[in-house]
Structures are given as structure tokens and as C-alpha cells.
Amino acid sequence: MADSAGIQLGSPAVGAAGLIPAAPGAAGTEGSGAAGGSARIAAKKAQLRSSPRPKKLEKLGVYSSCKAEGACKCNGWKNQNPPPTPPQTDQQSNTVNLQEPCRSCSHTLGDHVSHLENVSEEEMNRLLGIVLDVEYLYTCVHKEEDADTKQVYFSLFKLLRKSILQMGKPMLEAQESPPFEKPSIEQGVNNFVQYKFSHLPSKERQTIMELAEMFLNQINYWQLETPSQRRQRVPSDDVVGYKVNYTRWLCYCNVPQFCDSLPRYETTQIFGRTLLRSVFTVMRKQLLEQARQEKDKLPPEKRTLILTHFPKFLSMLEEEVYSHSSPIWSQDFLVGATGGQIPIHTVISAPPVARPIYYSTSPVSVDPSTCGSVSPARKPASVLESNPVGEKRKASEPLHHEENKRPRVVGDIPMDLINEVMATISDPATIPETSLLSAHSARDEAARLEERRGVIEFHVIGNSLNQKPNKRILMWLVGLQNVFSHQLPRMPKEYITRLVFDPKHKTLSLIKDGRVIGGICFRMFPSQGFTEIVFCAVTSNEQVKGYGTHLMNHLKEYHIKHEILNFLTYADEYAIGYFKKQGFSKDIKVPKTKYVGYIKDYEGATLMGCELNPSIPYTEFSVIIKKQKEIIKKLIERKQAQIRKVYPGLSCFKDGVRQIPIESIPGIRETGWKPAGKGKELKDPDQLYSTLKTILQHVKSHQNAWPFMEPVKKTEAPGYYQVIRFPMDLKTMSERLKSRYYTTRKLFMADMQRIFTNCREYNAPESEYFKCANILEKFFYTKIKEAGLIEK
């Protein structure tokens, strides 16, 4: 490093191996080296500060430059008769002679400390504290074996040494000052608690807050592994980025724990997700291992908290830490009325007290002690999934739907009103309980409650030919084969057995009282971007309980975690209704070239598809809708309460008036009603031509525009012109545009709409032409809105 006293925090440095005699993972427990070292230094400082003033001057003289005439270059007084090593404290004299000469420059001690004659005791004590920090760092420099770490200590040593000479405050030289990333780790964990657990009763929410506080405290006293150690453990990691953060942590968080001359910051307050990602996996493993080893030493009231709830908390947090689309790291989280962080898009996941949900493949046994309790989409695949498809993606890998950011909701409702309503709705006592038999209850509400009570469980299982079979998994697969065979009598049993036990297929199984009562058998095609659902059934005596909906919701979250966002299935006449309720339709989003030759064909069945939204937590979706309805209801009630004026009834109709504009109704505008915009009509012909030309080019370039490029030929579609009286196509529209036929946007939109209407009138709904028309129509109106020709 440079000779200056400052430290360039962008330079690489490694850990504090010699600074604190505590092993990585000690996590700042009482009695650790960090606490012990800090206490010893504090005791020495207190002892030195209580010494007589001459003694203090002698101590400071060692680090003070000579002030004698003649521009002496000596930068510290050196005793002619240094004390023996170790010093004999009982033989030392308390008298200090300011006339004693320096061994280096021969000037007196008084010449070195003349600048301290009028310094206050408070300032002198501050300088003495820096002196002891310098001496401790000097010891660390000589004991440290790692060259990079030694260099950092030496630079800190020079920084403090310079501060004594100049009687200034130590200032770290850095391109950036804390905080280094927003939101901070502390803020992100706080957002996580609000995001996942704000719906819980106050007692359970308090438990979660204790877990979060415990986790943040562990990070603040966590010993990071050195960059060289990390490079050996994770060769492909971003070494340079980690070194930068490590240097910052060393200078701002670690060393200041015992060298209090340097400003100290909490790790969780100045670092963000980048540092947390680099330490979370190792930290989680060591924390849980330490908890298991010391479980007998834990007090009974803490044992359940640490051994049961803490692993579940860490598992759910891990998914949010490594997810590229997690909202807890967004600046769009809003501060609620209670001071906590509440996102406008609000959604809560399963509570931590729920019984474990495990996703496993056949060769792995289900072990509650190691798996934790999380919802399927939140479960780290690396714990239980041996299939490469289920491996957790690395932090460096892009997410296909990363652009699907949740935007901040902007409206004309004051934020203080939103916060007030949110605080009211977050109180469970204010939300009316919905009877499970009520028409307003969600289909999956009963199943979700049973899952939380531990009555039912969900497991993704499959057969394997490569590893030793698991007895429990095989029993469940046999149970699934029986359920599918009984509920799908028209399907050959041999075929069902072959697919259920096929290693390429998996089954999301529904377990109740240890036995299989339903499941969904599927095969994933990651390279093609879709999953084929083969069988879906619930045993007859367990139907009409919402199990089918909850099964499908779990399957959706499982696939979002694996970044597959499309389902395809062939549904028979009895299953079409069920799949429609689950968001399936005949409008297939997956290009035909992607699934032809992959998916199995069935006679007499209808191909249906479902596109998943990665922003939706499907297993809690009905809870979110219920909360949103309550919010809207409260807002409407408040708005109604504000409208107190009563207007007389309309009498104009008695006078023969048949129709009046809506805006002329007294009081209508006070309710918040606004006239619907009709879009902007471009009066400049050249501007209109240019805009319509751009839109038409976009439409013609779309991949689903091919059926509409030219007029329909009679030879290809017999009887077409008998059915369609006013045909239209994109070629004709291009010719009309060139001839300046479209003098208004309405003419242009009418011709384009005629293309889609004609197609749907002539072709069957399941035809490819019909689907192309639907997709292209949506695209067209998107472009029209972007151009500002109609209201968005």
C-alpha cells in the first residue's frame, strides 16, 4: 500500500486471522476472542488514563515528533534506558524527567511533548487510547502470517500513528463511505419479516422478530473467511468483489471492535445482499451444526425456538437471498403506519409454525431434522433434490423473468391513508373469519388450513434406477398408482404404472395420515420451457375439499422455483372444468415447434396450457385476494364517509329530456369519477401516417401475423367469401396506408379489428388461426396504447 496513513478500501485484503483469536463461525459468543481481546485493551486504556499527567506525557512522547529548534526530524522520543523485558513494575519509578534526552535525537522529552502542555485531559486521554491501539496493531502485524492481512494491519497502524503525530482523528481513505449497498442486510431482513409473516398473530410474529434479531446479531459478530480460503472453497466465485467487501468489513466492522479509535459500524447496517450471499450458505450450515451440538445446554424455552423455528426461518430467508426477483431487496417497500416495512403488492407465505413440507426424489429419505418447514417454491433444491433440474441456480445466473419487477403502485390515494388502512387490515382481529362452507371462501382455504395444522403434506417424489430405492418413496408411488388407476378407469393400468415409476417423471403427492390420497404426475422439459401434466387425481372420498386446487398451486410454485413457467396437458371432457379453474385455457402460449414430438397425444382429449406468473405465490394467492378485498372495502367506506352532501334528484326527465351526459349529474365528480378518455386523435396527417406505419410494421413483423399477410385465396379456404362479407388483410392495409386512406385512427383500428373478427368467425376456436388472431390482437392493442392513440 502507499506510505500515506490512509487505506484504499478498493484494494484486496484478507482476513483477521491474527486479529481476533476466534475461529470463523464463533459468531461472537460470550468468551470469544473478540470479546476477550476488547476487554483486555479497554482495561489497559482505563489504567493508563488514570496515570499521573507526567506518565501520560512520557507515553505520548514516544509517538510525538521533536519540536526543538533546527527542524529535527525525529518522530518519537526514545528512552535512553529502556525498561527490562518484561518490565519490572515493582522497581519502576513513577517520576518522569522531562529533561531526559532522546536516544535518537538527543533532544529532551519536553521538546517532544511541548505541544501537549495546554492540551485538556480529555484530549490527552483520547490520544492515549490511540497509542494503545497502535501498539496492539503493531503486535498483530508481527503475529499475522498472511501477507495481505499483514499489509492491512500495517496500513491501519500507520493511519493511527499519523493521527497521534497530527493530533487528529483517524479517517479512512475510501472511494465510498458506508453504507456500501442499499437496502442493507438489516433492512432486507426486516422487509423479509414483513413480507412473509405480517399476517401472523402478534405472539407468533414476536417469535419471528426474535429469530430475525438473533440472525442479525450473528452476522454482526461473524468472522468472515479469508479471500484465500474462499478461493479454495469456491474457485469460480468473484474473488475481487469479495476482497473489496472483506477489506471494508475488516476496516469498518472487525478491527474497530477492539481498536475503538476507529469508527465502528454494524455489518448488517453498511453491507447488503452481496455480502450476505457470499456468507449465507456457510453461516447457515455452521449455525445449525452448532445448535445441534449444544442443544443440551440450551434452556428449555429457547430450545424449540433455535432447533425448530430457526432452521425454518433460515430456509425461507435463503430463498429470498439468492432469488433475483425477491421484492425484499427492492426500494419499493413502503414504511407502514407501525414503522415496519410493508410492500404495496403485499403477500404473505406460510407461517413458520406449519408442519414441514418436503420435496424429495426417491433416493433421499425425508428427515425433518435437516429439512425445515417451507413452502415448495421456497425449498432449497440442493437439500433434497438430486436431479440436476432441481439444483439451485447460482447467484451469477440470470433469471428468465428478471424483468418482471413489481412496480410501485402510483395513484391518487394519499400514502398516509394507504398506510393507515394497511395497518388496520394487518390486524387479524379486523378481518372477518370466512366460514369454510360460505360461498365466499376460497376453494383451497380448507386444504391450506389442514396443511398448516399438519393434517396433510406435499412431497415431490420419483423413482430412480441409479440409487438404492427408498422404502417410503416406493410405498407412496404404489399408492399413487392405485389412486390414478381407480380415478382414471379409462386409462390402462399398465400405462399408469409405467409412467408413475418412470425415472423421467415425477409426482407431487398429497399425503394424509401417512397414506397417499392424491397427486399430479408430470414430466419436465427444461430445454423446451414447459412441463407436461400426465395424471391428476384425488381419491373419491377426499374430493370437494380443495385438495385439487391446493395441489396445483403447490405444483405451480415448485415450477417457478425451477424456472419453468408453462404447463401443457391433454384434458378429457371431465377434467376440462377443473383445469379451467386452475388457469388453463385452450390458448396455448408455447410455440407448437417447442412441444410437438415431446408431449404425448391422446384421442378425444383437448390440449390445454397454463402460463405461470413468477411474481405470484400461488399457495397463498386466495389469502392475498381476501386481504386486497378488505383494503378496497375500507377505502370505499372511507370515501363514502367523506361524501356527506345530499343532492336533489334529477327532474329534467319530467320535462321530456331523454338523455344527459354523465358528468352533468350533480355530485358525480366528487365521488372520484372521471370521464373515460377516448384517446388522442392526431390532427397532423404526416404524424398520423408515421405513427400508423410504425404500428403496422410491428404487427407484420410479429411471429403470429403469417396467416393475415395477404388476402385469403379461394382455393385454400372454400366458401370463405360466402361467410366473410368484408374481408381484410395486412397487405390491403399497407396499400390503404400508402394511399393515405387512413385519415383518422378509427379507420385504421376498424380495419385491423376486422382481420381478427373475420378469422374468429370463419375458424374453429381450437384452430391455429384462431389462436394467432387472439395473440396478434393483444399485441396490436399494446402498440396502439404505447403510441398514445387510446387510453392505457
Side-chain angles (χ1 to χ4, degrees):
M1 292 191 180
D3 291 335
S4 64
I7 297 179
Q8 296 297 331
L9 294 179
S11 60
V14 287
L19 196 54
I20 305 178
T29 55
E30 291 187 18
S32 68
S38 179
R40 287 193 299 271
I41 297 174
K44 287 182 179 180
K45 289 181 178 179
Q47 182 181 2
L48 183 59
R49 286 164 177 163
S50 62
S51 302
R53 188 177 180 90
K55 271 288 185 184
K56 295 179 181 179
L57 290 173
E58 181 183 26
K59 190 73 173 177
L60 288 171
V62 177
Y63 297 92
S64 300
S65 58
C66 184
K67 306 298 186 298
E69 295 181 2
C72 180
K73 296 183 179 181
C74 179
N75 62 357
W77 182 77
K78 299 174 181 63
N79 199 334
Q80 295 278 2
N81 302 303
T85 305
Q88 302 296 321
T89 55
D90 54 341
Q91 297 178 5
Q92 289 184 30
S93 173
N94 288 327
T95 61
V96 175
N97 184 8
L98 294 179
Q99 300 303 318
E100 189 170 350
C102 173
R103 188 174 74 245
S104 177
C105 69
S106 300
H107 292 115
T108 64
L109 173 60
D111 289 331
H112 283 78
V113 297
S114 59
H115 64 294
L116 298 172
E117 291 180 0
N118 299 322
V119 170
S120 66
E121 284 295 314
E122 182 181 358
E123 176 64 12
M124 191 171 289
N125 287 338
R126 184 186 72 84
L127 294 174
L128 287 170
I130 301 178
V131 166
L132 286 184
D133 287 344
V134 165
E135 293 177 350
Y136 189 81
L137 278 173
Y138 183 77
T139 304
C140 291
V141 168
H142 285 276
K143 288 185 177 180
E144 179 57 54
E145 297 178 357
D146 185 89
D148 292 327
T149 309
K150 185 190 293 286
Q151 198 173 26
V152 174
Y153 293 163
F154 185 62
S155 294
L156 288 173
F157 164 80
K158 289 193 296 180
L159 170 67
L160 296 181
R161 180 81 169 79
K162 182 178 178 181
S163 298
I164 301 173
L165 289 171
Q166 299 177 349
M167 297 180 63
K169 292 185 178 181
M171 296 294 293
L172 293 170
E173 295 179 6
Q175 295 178 351
E176 292 183 76
S177 58
F180 303 113
E181 189 176 358
K182 291 183 180 181
S184 64
I185 296 174
E186 182 180 274
Q187 187 65 57
V189 172
N190 180 38
N191 292 347
F192 167 72
V193 172
Q194 293 294 335
Y195 179 59
K196 292 291 183 184
F197 308 107
S198 63
H199 70 300
L200 294 179
S202 58
K203 185 177 180 181
E204 295 178 6
R205 192 163 59 246
Q206 183 62 36
T207 300
I208 297 299
M209 293 173 66
E210 289 181 26
L211 294 174
E213 186 177 355
M214 182 193 310
F215 175 73
L216 292 173
N217 186 61
Q218 297 287 354
I219 296 178
N220 284 329
Y221 292 95
W222 194 259
Q223 288 297 115
L224 304 186
E225 60 183 339
T226 67
S228 57
Q229 293 171 336
R230 183 173 180 82
R231 187 166 53 250
Q232 294 175 0
R233 186 175 63 84
V234 191
S236 60
D237 189 54
D238 179 13
V239 178
V240 175
Y242 183 77
K243 282 185 178 180
V244 171
N245 273 338
Y246 198 91
T247 305
R248 292 168 172 170
W249 171 80
L250 202 63
C251 296
Y252 286 102
C253 306
N254 189 269
V255 176
Q257 287 188 54
F258 27 84
C259 293
D260 59 6
S261 305
L262 296 168
R264 180 175 182 269
Y265 297 84
E266 298 285 6
T267 305
T268 56
Q269 292 178 352
I270 65 173
F271 291 100
R273 178 163 56 164
T274 302
L275 182 71
L276 185 59
R277 279 178 168 176
S278 64
V279 303
F280 191 92
T281 304
V282 173
M283 181 180 175
R284 176 178 179 270
K285 181 180 179 181
Q286 292 185 9
L287 282 177
L288 297 181
E289 182 63 29
Q290 183 181 358
R292 284 192 289 268
Q293 291 177 356
E294 300 179 1
K295 61 181 179 181
D296 296 332
K297 301 177 184 178
L298 297 172
E301 64 274 12
K302 293 290 184 182
R303 192 170 299 165
T304 302
L305 183 71
I306 294 176
L307 297 180
T308 304
H309 298 321
F310 198 42
K312 302 171 187 176
F313 178 88
L314 292 178
S315 296
M316 297 180 73
L317 178 58
E318 181 177 35
E319 185 66 24
E320 301 301 323
V321 168
Y322 292 105
S323 170
H324 288 264
S325 58
S326 173
I328 71 172
W329 306 105
S330 171
Q331 294 294 330
D332 291 341
F333 260 74
L334 302 179
V335 180
T338 59
Q341 295 294 327
I342 303 177
I344 283 185
H345 48 268
T346 180
V347 46
I348 313 302
S349 186
V353 295
R355 192 168 170 178
I357 305 169
Y358 310 111
Y359 281 163
S360 61
T361 48
S362 57
V364 184
S365 61
V366 178
D367 183 4
S369 66
T370 59
C371 300
S373 170
V374 290
S375 64
R378 310 287 189 262
K379 189 68 194 171
S382 57
V383 177
L384 292 174
E385 289 270 354
S386 61
N387 192 316
V389 173
E391 292 178 356
K392 179 180 288 297
R393 66 176 181 275
K394 299 177 181 178
S396 60
E397 294 178 1
L399 189 64
H400 300 307
H401 46 269
E402 188 175 1
E403 67 274 12
N404 292 336
K405 302 288 186 181
R406 293 180 173 94
R408 177 187 289 271
V409 177
V410 179
D412 55 358
I413 301 175
M415 287 310 304
D416 55 349
L417 175 58
I418 292 179
N419 293 333
E420 185 180 348
V421 173
M422 284 295 299
T424 304
I425 299 302
S426 297
D427 183 2
T430 65
I431 301 180
E433 289 294 329
T434 304
S435 170
L436 296 181
L437 299 178
S438 169
H440 300 289
S441 63
R443 284 190 295 270
D444 62 334
E445 191 163 349
R448 186 171 54 251
L449 293 175
E450 286 191 11
E451 182 186 359
R452 290 182 177 178
R453 292 198 300 265
V455 178
I456 59 176
E457 299 174 2
F458 295 87
H459 305 267
V460 171
I461 61 176
N463 193 17
S464 175
L465 301 179
N466 302 323
Q467 301 186 34
K468 184 178 179 180
N470 178 279
K471 184 177 179 181
R472 174 186 284 187
I473 300 298
L474 290 178
M475 291 295 293
W476 283 345
L477 289 173
V478 172
L480 287 165
Q481 188 266 350
N482 290 334
V483 170
F484 292 144
S485 298
H486 188 266
Q487 297 301 125
L488 306 171
R490 294 192 292 179
M491 196 68 67
K493 291 185 178 181
E494 297 81 3
Y495 180 69
I496 292 175
T497 304
R498 178 160 63 85
L499 295 190
V500 169
F501 285 89
D502 177 16
K504 296 179 181 178
H505 287 71
K506 296 180 182 180
T507 305
L508 173 60
S509 56
L510 171 59
I511 310 298
K512 186 174 184 178
D513 299 327
R515 61 186 181 86
V516 176
I517 63 168
I520 300 177
C521 183
F522 60 93
R523 180 175 177 180
M524 305 168 77
F525 294 95
S527 62
Q528 306 306 110
F530 76 92
T531 281
E532 176 192 12
I533 295 178
V534 185
F535 307 126
C536 177
V538 175
T539 187
S540 55
N541 60 336
E542 297 287 357
Q543 292 179 1
V544 201
K545 295 182 180 180
Y547 291 152
T549 297
H550 207 43
L551 258 173
M552 186 61 71
N553 287 339
H554 272 302
L555 188 69
K556 290 175 180 177
E557 290 202 347
Y558 177 84
H559 279 76
I560 289 174
K561 185 191 75 169
H562 289 80
E563 301 180 18
I564 297 179
L565 304 181
N566 282 282
F567 288 157
L568 291 177
T569 188
Y570 272 98
D572 61 24
E573 55 185 319
Y574 302 105
I576 290 178
Y578 164 78
F579 281 109
K580 279 187 176 180
K581 292 177 183 177
Q582 308 310 317
F584 286 71
S585 72
K586 299 174 184 178
D587 184 12
I588 309 300
K589 303 294 184 181
V590 182
K592 194 170 184 178
T593 55
K594 288 284 187 179
Y595 63 82
V596 171
Y598 290 88
I599 190 171
K600 293 174 278 291
D601 294 324
Y602 297 89
E603 291 185 5
T606 302
L607 180 63
M608 303 184 73
C610 177
E611 186 176 24
L612 307 183
N613 186 332
S615 302
I616 297 177
Y618 286 94
T619 54
E620 294 293 323
F621 192 56
S622 58
V623 176
I624 302 167
I625 297 300
K626 181 179 178 181
K627 180 171 286 191
Q628 289 176 343
K629 286 181 179 178
E630 290 297 322
I631 293 172
I632 298 299
K633 182 180 177 182
K634 292 287 184 183
L635 290 173
I636 292 174
E637 291 175 356
R638 288 168 183 258
K639 192 69 177 178
Q640 289 174 339
Q642 295 172 1
I643 306 172
R644 303 181 182 277
K645 188 174 181 180
V646 179
Y647 293 89
L650 296 173
S651 59
C652 58
F653 299 108
K654 296 180 180 179
D655 300 330
V657 176
R658 301 294 300 272
Q659 181 177 340
I660 62 172
I662 295 178
E663 56 267 26
S664 66
I665 300 175
I668 191 69
R669 290 187 180 273
E670 286 82 347
T671 65
W673 177 88
K674 296 179 181 179
K678 299 180 180 180
K680 181 176 66 174
E681 188 68 75
L682 299 177
K683 297 181 180 180
D684 184 355
D686 292 333
Q687 185 180 359
L688 177 64
Y689 173 80
S690 177
T691 302
L692 298 182
K693 181 180 179 182
T694 302
I695 295 173
L696 188 58
Q697 287 175 343
H698 282 300
V699 172
K700 292 170 69 175
S701 301
H702 195 275
Q703 62 180 359
N704 292 101
W706 60 270
F708 317 111
M709 297 299 291
E710 295 184 354
V712 176
K713 297 178 181 179
K714 295 181 180 180
T715 55
E716 295 177 355
Y720 180 84
Y721 291 96
Q722 280 73 38
V723 176
I724 303 302
R725 297 179 59 193
F726 304 102
M728 184 52 62
D729 60 273
L730 296 176
K731 182 180 180 181
T732 302
M733 287 190 66
S734 297
E735 293 171 352
R736 287 188 170 189
L737 182 64
K738 288 180 182 179
S739 65
R740 302 295 179 121
Y741 167 81
Y742 298 118
T743 56
T744 66
R745 61 180 173 86
K746 291 183 178 180
L747 287 174
F748 179 81
M749 293 174 62
D751 275 358
M752 186 68 75
Q753 186 61 55
R754 189 174 301 281
I755 294 177
F756 308 133
T757 304
N758 290 346
C759 177
R760 285 191 286 259
E761 184 176 350
Y762 182 79
N763 298 285
E766 61 271 11
S767 68
E768 195 167 0
Y769 301 106
F770 195 101
K771 297 171 185 176
C772 287
N774 289 342
I775 296 172
L776 193 62
E777 182 181 33
K778 292 179 182 178
F779 177 77
F780 167 68
Y781 279 101
T782 299
K783 292 300 176 183
I784 283 287
K785 291 176 183 177
E786 290 177 356
L789 296 182
I790 61 173
E791 288 285 331
K792 293 186 178 181

